[in-house]
Amino acid sequence: MKFGENTQLVEEVMDFARKSKMFNNKNINAKLFEVIKDFNEAQKLAWSQDSSEVDTVWEYVKSQETESIVEKVYEMDLVSQQDHLFDFFSDHDNYLNDFLPIDYIDINEEVEGDLTMCALNRLVNGKIDNFYERIFEIYKQGGWPCGWKGAYPIGKIIVYVP
C-alpha cells in the first residue's frame, strides 16, 4: 500500500519491524532520555496509573499524543491507510523472528501499539521532531520507552535498556 508523500517514512517504521530486533542496539542518547536498566521498574512505570508513584502517568502522555494524530488521520481522510497499518503491526508474521526476546513478551502489545503510532505519525506529519518521532528514535537506538520523568510536557522520556 502507498502512503502518499510520506510513503518512504512510513515504510521505514514497517521495515524496522521486518528487519530489526528489539534491544539489539544499545546506543541510547542519555542526554535526551532518562535511561533505566531494571525491567520490573520499567513495567511499573509504563503501567502505573497512580500519580503518587510516578511523576506523570505514561498512558496519559501517550493518549494525549495519539489523539492529535488520530484527529489528523480523519481530517486528511486516511482511514484506510490507518487500518492497513493497524493490521500490519498487529500481525506477528510481519516481524522478524525473535523481534522481541521471549523474556520481554509482556510488552509485546505496547511495542506494537507504539510502532503503529510511529507509522501513523509519519503518515500525517512526515518527519518532524515530535513525541512519536522521538519514540521511534528510542526503538531504533535499542530501548523501550516506558515512562515520563517530570510533569508533562516538561521533562524527559524514560527508556529501559537491558
Side-chain angles (χ1 to χ4, degrees):
M1 172 173 259
K2 294 298 176 202
F3 299 98
E5 65 185 49
N6 296 322
T7 295
Q8 220 174 349
L9 295 170
V10 172
E11 287 179 348
E12 182 183 351
V13 182
M14 297 168 83
D15 284 345
F16 177 80
R18 287 184 192 114
K19 300 175 182 177
S20 301
K21 289 186 179 190
M22 284 285 297
F23 309 125
N24 216 25
N25 248 347
K26 294 205 175 76
N27 298 320
I28 297 295
N29 185 336
K31 291 179 183 173
L32 297 177
F33 309 111
E34 183 79 19
V35 177
I36 63 172
K37 301 277 187 187
D38 182 328
F39 187 58
N40 289 327
E41 179 185 355
Q43 288 177 294
K44 187 171 142 185
L45 289 168
W47 299 323
S48 176
Q49 298 296 311
D50 186 348
S51 58
S52 67
E53 290 183 13
V54 292
D55 295 331
T56 301
V57 174
W58 183 235
E59 283 302 317
Y60 167 78
V61 173
K62 287 176 31 172
S63 70
Q64 289 291 107
E65 296 293 338
T66 297
E67 186 178 307
S68 66
I69 293 170
V70 171
E71 283 176 8
K72 282 186 177 182
V73 165
Y74 285 95
E75 287 170 9
M76 298 169 77
D77 195 26
L78 297 171
V79 175
S80 65
Q81 290 90 334
Q82 172 188 261
D83 293 346
H84 177 77
L85 291 171
F86 279 130
D87 290 344
F88 176 87
F89 286 104
S90 66
D91 185 345
H92 296 248
D93 290 337
N94 291 322
Y95 292 82
L96 184 68
N97 274 350
D98 301 327
F99 170 79
L100 185 65
I102 193 72
D103 292 347
Y104 299 100
I105 198 69
D106 291 349
I107 64 169
N108 186 59
E109 288 180 18
E110 294 284 324
V111 173
E112 288 174 5
D114 286 350
L115 292 176
T116 302
M117 290 313 303
C118 291
L120 284 172
N121 176 55
R122 285 180 160 201
L123 174 69
V124 299
N125 292 316
K127 187 174 182 179
I128 61 171
D129 182 23
N130 66 12
F131 179 79
Y132 274 107
E133 194 61 38
R134 282 181 240 131
I135 294 297
F136 187 47
E137 267 311 304
I138 290 167
Y139 280 108
K140 290 190 301 184
Q141 291 178 24
W144 175 50
C146 60
W148 189 268
K149 181 177 182 174
Y152 187 77
I154 309 296
K156 290 181 173 183
I157 298 172
I158 302 170
V159 179
Y160 168 73
V161 180

